[in-house]
Amino acid sequence: MKAIVSERYGTPDVLRLSEVAAPVPEENQVLVKVLASSLNYGNLVLLTGKPLPARLAFGLRKPKYQIPGGDMAGIIEAVGEKVTKFQVGDEVYGDLSSNGWGALAEYVVTAEESLALKPGNLSFAEAAAVPMAATTALQALKNKGKVRAGQEVLIQGASGGVGTFAIQIAKAVGAKVTAVVSTRNAELASSLGADHVIDYQKGNLENHQQTYDLILGVNGSHSLSTYKQKLKKNGLFVLVGGPSDQLYQFMLLGPWISMFGNKKFSSFMQKANQQDLVLVNEFIEAGKVRPVIDKTYPLHEVPAAFTYFQKGRAQGKVVITI
């Protein structure tokens, strides 16, 4: 089968399209014919080996998982004898980042716990754009942020994969959403349901008088003192992503801010979860959530897709068709 292979850390140039042996499912695995995948921040970590602590999980000197790709959508071609949730012919999608990656290939084997039935109202390309980004948004909002109807929610960096899902999921549970985006993404944020849009190119967040029950820091470079200022009493800031200098600032100052005062700072690591993906399914099939796709690339153009994704300007997701 054809697959993208990465034998060393580096730039997108290290990725190459190769012929490799097709995988065979074990008794508790399924074999999926992959029809589409998509890129997330975790793909860049696996490609570059940075930040360096990530190599403890991904391999110290070279990638432990040589076929990258976490998100996927496809059709089950074979099942192991202990598989109970799926059968041959099922259309599925899922996040394989906790089960060996490998989605940038024509076939992949994975545990059935990595998958859910594909929403019937999405194409395979659309479905592949969902798993990691949507469950990250869901876990940040509901599991960590405990978002409730009527709350004021600010999403910093609302135009990327996680941010576009965060707008929609927050609205689906009844929150009032303010999206912070650039000028080119203001219309997109409004179309996804944001009640208010702050264009950071036309004014600073500090200049807005509104305060919030929950702030999601998906991307952006505001100081922690700014986020603290914009939180209501007993409000919560959840760090989802952003530049490394903000991460280090958060690690140094976040616990102290939370310890003293009535405003809390928290972070989390997304983890693939079948139940969360099933809940996302319900939002999608009810028409409350939809993926936003910026660009689509064929498998042999994966290096170009990574190069584009690395720029950090994608509106929604970058999808790979296979």
Side-chain angles (χ1 to χ4, degrees):
M1 69 171 186
K2 292 182 173 62
I4 295 295
V5 175
S6 175
E7 295 179 339
R8 59 188 174 91
Y9 294 120
T11 67
D13 294 337
V14 306
L15 301 170
R16 56 187 178 83
L17 183 64
S18 302
E19 284 285 345
V20 301
V24 178
E26 297 179 1
E27 59 184 11
N28 61 342
Q29 292 180 320
V30 299
L31 173 69
V32 182
K33 180 179 182 180
V34 183
L35 298 180
S37 181
S38 72
L39 302 186
N40 298 278
Y41 175 72
N43 295 103
L44 292 181
V45 176
L46 183 57
L47 170 68
T48 64
K50 299 177 181 178
L52 292 178
R55 297 195 184 196
L56 295 175
F58 288 160
L60 293 177
R61 293 187 176 183
K62 61 181 181 179
K64 179 167 63 173
Y65 309 109
Q66 294 195 352
I67 301 178
D71 283 345
M72 55 74 57
I75 301 172
I76 291 181
E77 294 238 331
V79 298
E81 60 183 20
K82 291 188 177 181
V83 171
T84 60
K85 296 180 180 179
F86 301 102
Q87 59 187 1
V88 173
D90 281 346
E91 298 181 352
V92 295
Y93 74 149
D95 172 2
L96 312 186
S97 60
S98 295
N99 274 287
W101 299 75
L104 290 177
E106 292 179 315
Y107 294 90
V108 68
V109 295
T110 189
E112 60 180 334
E113 289 76 20
S114 300
L115 305 174
L117 292 174
K118 181 181 76 67
N121 55 344
L122 294 186
S123 68
F124 285 100
E126 290 170 329
V130 172
M132 195 179 297
T135 55
T136 299
L138 179 74
Q139 291 169 10
L141 286 164
K142 290 181 65 66
N143 300 359
K144 179 64 70 169
K146 309 297 182 185
V147 67
R148 302 186 303 277
Q151 285 190 319
E152 294 281 356
V153 176
L154 177 78
I155 301 170
Q156 169 72 51
S159 60
V162 175
T164 52
F165 283 114
I167 293 174
Q168 298 174 84
I169 293 172
K171 288 296 296 179
V173 300
K176 299 176 182 177
V177 176
T178 298
V180 182
V181 294
S182 64
T183 302
R184 68 187 284 263
N185 294 317
E187 184 177 344
L188 171 63
S190 294
S191 73
L192 295 174
D195 299 283
H196 306 285
V197 176
I198 297 175
D199 182 346
Y200 66 77
Q201 293 177 309
K202 295 181 178 179
N204 293 327
L205 179 61
E206 295 92 331
N207 297 334
H208 292 265
Q209 300 304 309
Q210 178 71 47
T211 55
Y212 303 91
D213 300 288
L214 175 64
I215 297 176
L216 257 61
V218 180
N219 201 356
S221 56
H222 291 293
S223 66
L224 297 193
S225 61
T226 297
Y227 291 129
K228 181 182 178 182
Q229 174 191 342
K230 306 314 293 182
L231 282 173
K232 293 182 179 181
K233 181 180 178 180
N234 298 318
L236 173 65
F237 171 81
V238 178
L239 180 68
V240 180
S244 57
D245 57 343
Q246 187 176 69
L247 174 61
Y248 295 137
Q249 184 187 52
F250 181 91
M251 293 171 62
L252 181 64
L253 299 177
W256 291 99
I257 295 174
S258 297
M259 191 178 302
F260 302 104
N262 53 25
K263 299 176 181 181
K264 303 300 181 183
F265 279 57
S266 182
S267 65
F268 85 108
M269 292 291 291
Q270 181 267 1
K271 187 173 182 180
N273 183 285
Q274 189 178 56
Q275 288 72 35
D276 287 340
L277 191 56
V278 169
L279 179 54
V280 169
N281 247 5
E282 295 175 7
F283 286 132
I284 292 172
E285 293 187 328
K288 296 179 179 180
V289 171
R290 63 178 175 88
V292 175
I293 296 176
D294 185 326
K295 289 181 180 290
T296 301
Y297 294 82
L299 186 63
H300 68 274
E301 292 184 7
V302 161
F306 269 85
T307 299
Y308 176 74
F309 182 70
Q310 271 187 317
K311 296 176 181 178
R313 293 179 54 81
Q315 292 180 309
K317 296 299 300 292
V318 175
V319 169
I320 312 299
T321 55
I322 301 172

